[in-house]
Amino acid sequence: AKQSGRGRYSYFTAVMSERADQRLRLESELRTAIAEGQLFLVYQPKMLLPERQLSGMEALVRWRHPDGHVVTPLDFIPVAEETGLVVAIDDWVLREACRQNRAWIDAGLPALPVAVNLSLARFDPARIVSGLAQALGSSGMPAELLEVELTESQMLTQGDRADQLIRGIRALGVRVSVDDFGTGYSSLGYLTRHRFDAIKIDRSFVHGLPGDAGQKAVVEAIVAMGRALEYRVIGEGVETEAQAQALLMLGCNEMQGYLLGRPLPASAMEQLLRDAVA
Ligand code: C2E
Ligand code: CA
Ligand code: CA
Ligand code: CA
């Protein structure tokens, strides 16, 4: 099977926009994928700069399609959100990430937080919170080593229900981060209404660094605001040394991106954890 990276399988995108019956097929294939264990996780490192010290990781879902292709979430999460299948996917991801991190800790590897992405397209706050509690209980993973990433845009469209969810998650001692920050175009009220652990600057703002004066100003403002609120501020999608240097100069010292590490299979992530103690 080929690792898909950035070049995703346009087959599925085409299927989704073209024909309803093929979309239905994708839905049923996805149902099978969840039931028959075709999903797996890759882990992308988060690093503190300038030391390049591993500070955590993000679990990202992949689908090993029976035809041999590895399908990226960009090509199936949207359909999963529309059909409600995303609830089962996110639940599987959560339990697998907790199980794996607990296994690494038991093996004597450094105890670092693992982040999972939770979709708010179809959600019931109470159900998510009890799912989190169950995943922690059955894996024995400490709550403070679990981080939930919620996108700014989804939080903004969910209003009260998102508020309820964030309070519930934090009450468990699980960390919460604001993902894709800067793309929600809306009220910043929620940033002061809740305690978050981190905000992740969307990679569309990192992309133009260091040349783009406008993006630089936006990143600088986000970092200043994040710091004033005592949040960690993570730059996403860092691909070049120049972008990393620019982020550092703008006051951001935690980063994620191909420069620091691509999403890795569990075995390769484990090696990175070993190297971190060595
Ligand atoms: P995201 O949470 O913003 O995750 C970051 C995405 O950017 C990942 O794509 C990652 O591979 C990619 N990326 C990381 N570094 C770089 C870089 O330096 N340059 C570029 N161009 N891209 C980079 P991926 O794994 O395809 O995931 C895409 C999106 O799918 C995620 O965006 C997230 O919104 C969603 N997703 C992934 N896993 C899950 C999951 O388990 N549940 C849910 N609900 N959504 C998920
Ligand atoms: Ca994320
Ligand atoms: Ca993101
Ligand atoms: Ca995203």
Side-chain angles (χ1 to χ4, degrees), residues 55-240:
S55 59
M57 59 209 137
E58 177 175 4
L60 296 159
V61 70
R62 298 288 182 267
W63 173 14
R64 194 179 307 284
H65 193 276
D67 75 5
H69 286 150
V70 172
V71 188
T72 99
L74 297 174
D75 284 341
F76 65 85
I77 292 289
V79 173
E81 287 187 326
E82 280 174 40
T83 56
L85 285 174
V86 75
V87 173
I89 294 175
D90 284 355
D91 191 58
W92 179 82
V93 168
L94 168 68
R95 284 182 287 113
E96 173 59 13
C98 288
R99 184 204 62 75
Q100 178 64 81
N101 203 30
R102 174 67 205 227
W104 282 331
I105 297 165
D106 287 347
L109 295 169
L112 293 177
V114 63
V116 296
N117 294 283
L118 278 190
S119 169
L120 301 186
R122 297 288 197 100
F123 83 110
D124 169 357
R127 213 194 121 144
I128 290 190
V129 173
S130 75
L132 286 165
Q134 263 176 35
L136 290 171
S138 63
S139 64
M141 226 249 314
E144 66 272 17
L145 292 182
L146 180 62
E147 186 156 348
V148 168
E149 296 191 4
L150 304 173
T151 67
E152 181 190 30
S153 53
Q154 287 192 334
M155 276 194 279
L156 290 171
T157 60
Q158 294 292 338
D160 287 354
R161 278 150 44 82
D163 289 348
Q164 208 186 319
L165 175 68
I166 295 161
R167 279 194 298 271
I169 298 175
R170 292 200 55 88
L172 292 173
V174 169
R175 307 178 188 213
V176 188
S177 302
V178 184
D179 203 357
D180 299 354
F181 186 80
T183 60
Y185 322 107
S186 188
S187 146
L188 297 174
Y190 68 95
L191 273 191
T192 53
R193 203 158 61 237
H194 295 287
R195 279 301 310 162
F196 290 102
D197 294 278
I199 57 186
K200 300 184 72 176
I201 306 176
D202 189 69
R203 70 166 187 266
S204 58
F205 300 105
V206 172
H207 187 77
L209 298 181
D212 187 314
Q215 296 197 339
K216 216 160 141 178
V218 170
V219 169
E220 194 164 16
I222 296 174
V223 173
M225 187 175 59
R227 292 212 146 176
L229 294 166
E230 300 183 328
Y231 294 150
R232 288 154 50 225
V233 181
I234 303 172
E236 281 199 298
V238 180
E239 294 181 352
T240 67

